[in-house]
Amino acid sequence: MRFDQRHLLGIEPLRPDEITTLLDLAEQYVTLSRRREKHSNVLSGLTQINMFFENSTRTQASFEIAGQRLGADVMNMAMQASSIKKGETLIDTALTLNAMHPDLLVVRHPHSGAVDLLAQKVNCAVLNAGDGRHEHPTQALLDALTIRRAKGRLHRLNIAICGDIAHSRVARSNILLLQKMENRVRLVGPSTLIPAGMSEFGVEIYDDMRKGLEDVDVVMMLRLQKERMDGGFIPSEREYYHRWGLDADKLSHAKPDAIVMHPGPMNRGVEIDGTIADDINRSVIQEQVEMGVAVRMAAMDLLARNLRARPTELSA
Amino acid sequence: MTATLLTNARLIDPAADTVTDGAVLLRDGFIAEIFDQPDPQVADADRIDAGGAFLAPGIVDIGVKVGEPGDRHKESYKTAGLAAAAGGVTTIVTRPDTGPAIDTPEVLEFIRDRAEDDAPVNVLPMAALTKGRAGREMTELGFLLDAGAVAFTDCDHVATDTKVLSRALTYARSLGALVICHPQEPGLSKGGAATSGKFASLRGLPAVSSMAERMGLDRDIALVEMTGVRYHADQITTARALPALERAKRNGFDVTAGTSMHHLTLNELDVSDYRTFFKVKPPLRSEEDRQATVEAVRSGLIDIIGSFHTPQDEESKRLPFEEAASGAVGLETMLPVLLRLYHSGELELPTLFRALSLNPAKRLGLASGRMAKGAPADLVLFDADKPFVLDRFKLQSKSKNTPFDGARLQGKVLATFVAGTAVYRSA
């Protein structure tokens, strides 16, 4: 069991065995989280700062609960309200925070690569909670854990990722992770929302959702951002729902035991029919939220172990 | 004025496409004589033994950004001039994308005075084609021409109003002026920080299709056909644009094209983990595009190579990739960087200097750029093999934003002569 990362900036730098290590540890945290007494002290004495330059309720809450369950001192900073409005650069913000000696820094930023940039300037472990359209590694890890628990394995599965791939960091991280674990990945969506060069990633691309869902084990839906709906990328919300919204008819092309996933928050009636989202035999959407906390606990635990193994003067 | 005799040199003549051993006599600012023996006897001349190094016509660099007016903290005429001299660039042709833009004769005269006082190399200014480079009203092209503008360009601002542009080109045509455009389809390329493809998708960067360059060039060529203007495309960087350029030349239009040192030596993968010093405009392309661009320089389809020297301070580069400023400094690094193409066997030295010196001088109607008796004694003496590791903090430019920091390069400028006077000698 090895995990050699200093930060969790993306899925791209992770080895398959590191992913397995993290998911195995997360299983233990699922068990812990289901007990009445949910507390552990593996992060006690450590300071976790959540820095969100972009609005988020769910991911931020998930990271906050994960840190608190492990005994860290957790602090939230709503960055969109504070210093960037005063003209401070990202690096200055990072240096200011660094002087407060955090141990774990959880960052979300609207620009691709911004979290990498910040990680170069601080001494603590940085967790990427989503950067632009680049990566959202904990989302891909929680999706992987959900799939592994539902399907009993995380390899040789047919998985369809559907919807707005172009603007989705969730899609990128998932494609990378699922391919590292040797699954077949299909992308399904309107060609305006499939980024260029995607076929070179070794994925199959489908415009027709019924064909794209043929015999898949997992259907992963993506959120369609409101601002993409009117005319720019797709003709209209109702045409999108007709062609790429997940309903019972389209889902019937997948394997009978195929699971349905969604990273949330959902637009019912836009990308997914409400009754499918609520179908406890198919939908694992609530389970994904639960796995999110466990995966984030595991990620912070592993990074903290590496942090504690380093000489203290480096983190001073 | 005393004469200087450069002996034991290997003379690069881009017009004749030759490299020969010989010596050159510089007198009164001009090349007074070229000898085919390495060590001729000449009375009353200072002798400089080149020790077998290459001597070539000095580089004429079209499209250099100097921070005056507006951004003097990024680059002044003095520092740009020193960087040019250290890089073997004997003539810099400056861009008007300053703050304010160089769009009136008054601003043009101001910067000409600044340049004459401070820069050790020749400085020739370009002026904006439209006021404020906004693409709405043409500038006083006639007055600007009289004040010394050598070409007109709105730099990376692409006119969206084709009617305005066509009138400006028609007016420029009547003056016989050269117009330089940035071939990009402005709508398609809006917001793009990388070239669309696998790499940009993996990094999640907003991307522009390489087709935007082809579309921009197609439009410009149609306007050339319509107006008859003398036209130069500042940078052609994609394989897809080359057939359109080839067709325009074959049809006899007065069209030339340039490309940048960066697009000849780097590709999109060099951006790696969001390294903003590799953010240039247009963005770096695929390796196939790079190779096609090098081949187009070799064949002569692309006429001119420039550094597109764009100084940026650390603050404007230490930002997330999308927000970071575009551009790289290149005056001082261009020759050693391009010598990579010589060492790799992709380009011969006369070919390189055809694109660096001869063709840009010709396009601007300058007498320089030639290894010929009677030509201005603007020359660069360099050792093509000397290895070194580039340290950006040792550059003469005020701004240190080079993508080649830490790069292993081969080739150093030993001396640069402007009008027969050494403006740079290596230590």
Side-chain angles (χ1 to χ4, degrees):
Chain A
M1 177 183 129
R2 281 182 63 185
F3 189 82
D4 298 325
Q5 306 289 326
R6 188 176 160 188
H7 306 294
L8 182 64
L9 299 178
I11 297 298
E12 200 187 356
L14 297 182
R15 299 188 309 265
D17 68 295
E18 290 177 317
I19 293 169
T20 305
T21 296
L22 198 149
L23 297 183
D24 290 348
L25 182 61
E27 287 284 2
Q28 296 178 26
Y29 286 125
V30 174
T31 313
L32 178 73
S33 293
R34 286 181 179 179
R35 296 209 311 249
R36 184 70 63 204
E37 297 295 323
K38 302 175 175 61
H39 217 72
S40 149
N41 58 4
V42 300
L43 297 186
S44 84
L46 301 186
T47 302
Q48 172 192 343
I49 298 181
N50 297 333
M51 238 170 121
F52 281 65
F53 292 89
E54 202 179 69
N55 278 320
S56 159
T57 315
R58 306 156 60 96
T59 308
Q60 188 171 336
S62 183
F63 269 107
E64 188 173 352
I65 290 172
Q68 287 185 349
R69 278 192 189 155
L70 296 181
D73 299 317
V74 186
M75 201 196 124
N76 289 314
M77 294 182 75
M79 298 310 296
Q80 67 272 33
S82 69
S83 47
I84 23 179
K85 290 243 169 84
K86 297 176 191 160
E88 190 177 55
T89 68
L90 180 62
I91 288 177
D92 285 336
T93 307
L95 294 176
T96 304
L97 269 179
N98 198 44
M100 299 180 197
H101 298 290
D103 302 288
L104 295 157
L105 196 56
V106 179
V107 187
R108 170 170 289 188
H109 197 281
H111 290 311
S112 303
V115 182
D116 292 53
L117 178 67
L118 203 141
Q120 292 163 20
K121 307 291 171 187
V122 296
N123 297 320
C124 58
V126 176
L127 290 101
N128 182 359
D131 64 320
R133 323 168 174 184
H134 177 221
E135 283 230 48
H136 190 355
T138 56
Q139 178 70 42
L141 288 161
L142 76 88
D143 288 340
L145 185 60
T146 309
I147 294 169
R148 197 171 79 167
R149 288 167 64 94
K151 294 280 145 199
R153 67 175 198 270
L154 188 58
H155 57 270
R156 272 184 274 150
L157 294 167
N158 282 319
I159 298 162
I161 304 176
C162 311
D164 182 1
I165 317 284
H167 302 97
S168 174
R169 52 196 172 215
V170 176
R172 278 175 185 72
S173 287
N174 265 312
I175 292 166
L176 292 168
L177 188 149
L178 294 169
Q179 289 194 327
K180 276 180 202 268
M181 306 313 279
E182 300 182 3
N183 297 283
R184 282 180 69 174
V185 178
R186 303 175 181 185
L187 304 181
V188 181
S191 46
T192 46
L193 293 174
I194 305 281
M198 247 4 194
S199 53
E200 294 172 51
F201 282 84
V203 295
E204 296 161 60
I205 295 169
Y206 292 88
D207 182 64
D208 180 336
M209 191 161 185
R210 286 175 182 82
K211 283 189 186 134
L213 295 191
E214 205 72 58
D215 291 324
V216 298
D217 300 285
V218 178
V219 182
M220 211 178 253
M221 300 305 299
L222 296 171
R223 177 180 165 77
L224 184 70
Q225 305 280 346
K226 285 262 186 240
E227 60 268 26
R228 323 257 188 243
M229 286 177 197
D230 45 354
F233 290 87
I234 52 164
S236 70
E237 197 177 309
R238 61 182 192 179
E239 179 162 332
Y240 184 81
Y241 180 67
H242 177 72
R243 298 188 64 193
W244 294 283
L246 186 66
D247 54 22
D249 172 56
K250 293 189 194 100
L251 185 57
S252 70
H253 291 76
K255 282 190 185 160
D257 62 346
I259 56 168
V260 174
M261 307 177 75
H262 193 295
M266 275 181 285
N267 295 307
R268 287 168 187 260
V270 178
E271 70 254 355
I272 190 163
D273 180 350
T275 54
I276 290 176
D278 297 334
D279 180 352
I280 52 165
N281 295 316
R282 307 304 290 270
S283 164
V284 293
I285 295 170
Q286 294 307 313
E287 168 121 340
Q288 284 175 273
V289 178
E290 184 187 357
M291 293 309 119
V293 176
V295 154
R296 287 168 184 130
M297 289 167 84
M300 288 195 287
D301 181 0
L302 290 170
L303 291 175
R305 290 181 203 187
N306 292 348
L307 203 62
R308 291 191 207 266
R310 285 165 57 210
T312 42
E313 60 267 31
L314 276 179
S315 58
Chain B
M1 201 168 180
T2 57
T4 305
L5 182 69
L6 287 160
T7 61
N8 288 316
R10 303 182 67 194
L11 310 180
I12 299 171
D13 183 345
D17 197 22
T18 56
V19 180
T20 51
D21 291 346
V24 174
L25 179 68
L26 317 179
R27 195 194 295 275
D28 300 330
F30 293 91
I31 297 176
E33 195 63 64
I34 294 176
F35 304 91
D36 54 10
Q37 65 267 45
D39 198 10
Q41 290 309 307
V42 176
D44 76 329
D46 294 339
R47 297 171 78 87
I48 296 176
D49 185 350
F54 289 103
L55 186 68
I59 297 167
V60 178
D61 193 1
I62 299 180
V64 172
K65 168 82 181 274
V66 180
E68 295 186 60
D71 278 319
R72 206 169 153 192
H73 67 289
K74 293 186 179 178
E75 194 83 284
S76 65
Y77 275 96
K78 184 168 185 182
T79 53
L82 291 172
V89 177
T90 50
T91 300
I92 57 179
V93 182
T94 57
R95 301 207 307 250
D97 56 342
T98 45
I102 299 167
D103 60 359
T104 63
E106 290 76 16
V107 182
L108 190 84
E109 273 155 23
F110 163 76
I111 62 127
R112 283 196 68 184
D113 289 346
R114 297 279 309 126
E116 268 169 38
D117 290 347
D118 284 1
V121 300
N122 305 309
V123 178
L124 299 173
M126 296 192 284
L129 182 67
T130 63
K131 288 176 188 162
R133 304 190 296 128
R136 284 192 291 272
E137 303 160 72
M138 70 178 89
T139 53
E140 293 172 312
L141 301 175
F143 281 159
L144 285 161
L145 207 60
D146 292 344
V150 295
F152 295 92
T153 179
D154 282 344
C155 303
D156 61 342
H157 284 190
V158 182
T160 48
D161 189 329
T162 312
K163 187 162 250 170
V164 170
L165 181 60
S166 71
R167 287 187 188 134
L169 296 184
T170 303
Y171 197 90
R173 157 80 178 87
S174 69
L175 295 169
L178 177 68
V179 172
I180 301 182
C181 290
H182 184 66
Q184 283 291 320
E185 205 296 309
L188 199 57
S189 56
K190 198 172 163 191
T195 303
S196 63
K198 184 183 174 186
F199 177 78
S201 291
L202 183 66
R203 286 284 175 270
L205 290 172
V208 47
S209 166
S210 60
M211 201 56 105
E213 182 174 291
R214 210 311 267 295
M215 292 167 71
L217 184 64
D218 277 339
R219 178 188 78 162
D220 287 359
I221 289 170
L223 285 167
V224 170
E225 187 170 353
M226 187 173 137
T227 62
V229 74
R230 297 173 58 217
Y231 172 91
H232 177 70
D234 67 347
Q235 300 182 63
I236 295 296
T237 59
T238 60
R240 278 168 162 170
L242 293 171
L245 178 63
E246 204 269 324
R247 233 174 8 254
K249 286 189 162 187
R250 188 155 25 90
N251 287 339
F253 299 138
D254 193 350
V255 167
T256 51
T259 193
S260 90
M261 59 182 274
H262 300 107
H263 293 89
L264 290 170
T265 54
L266 302 169
N267 67 33
E268 58 188 349
L269 300 181
D270 287 303
V271 170
S272 184
D273 289 325
Y274 306 101
R275 295 196 285 171
T276 56
F277 279 16
F278 290 78
K279 184 176 180 184
V280 291
K281 205 168 182 179
L284 292 174
R285 308 300 194 182
S286 68
E287 176 59 12
E288 291 73 32
D289 283 329
R290 187 196 71 82
Q291 288 177 10
T293 307
V294 172
E295 171 54 26
V297 170
R298 199 199 56 73
S299 73
L301 180 57
I302 288 178
D303 308 86
I304 292 168
I305 304 173
S307 71
F308 294 88
H309 182 84
T310 304
Q312 298 288 4
D313 55 19
E314 304 285 302
E315 295 315 313
S316 49
K317 284 287 187 182
R318 289 172 68 200
L319 291 169
F321 198 84
E322 282 169 56
E323 291 176 30
S326 293
V329 292
L331 279 169
E332 199 173 340
T333 51
M334 176 152 65
L335 183 55
V337 164
L338 289 173
L339 284 172
R340 279 184 169 176
L341 300 172
Y342 162 66
H343 291 296
S344 65
E346 288 167 276
L347 292 179
E348 297 297 328
L349 289 174
T351 313
L352 202 52
F353 281 90
R354 181 181 70 200
L356 285 171
S357 309
L358 178 67
N359 284 346
K362 259 177 115 168
R363 193 57 171 147
L364 297 172
L366 309 177
S368 60
R370 294 176 300 134
M371 180 62 74
K373 187 174 169 179
D378 293 352
L379 297 164
V380 52
L381 183 71
F382 67 99
D383 175 343
D385 296 315
K386 190 168 183 182
F388 71 106
V389 176
L390 188 92
D391 175 356
R392 69 188 183 105
F393 293 106
K394 292 197 175 143
L395 294 176
Q396 301 285 337
S397 282
K398 272 193 192 174
S399 296
K400 313 294 182 190
N401 56 308
T402 171
F404 296 99
D405 186 39
R408 286 156 201 278
L409 298 170
Q410 251 185 297
K412 276 212 125 164
V413 173
L414 302 175
T416 303
F417 299 87
V418 172
T421 306
V423 293
Y424 173 81
R425 295 289 292 269
S426 80

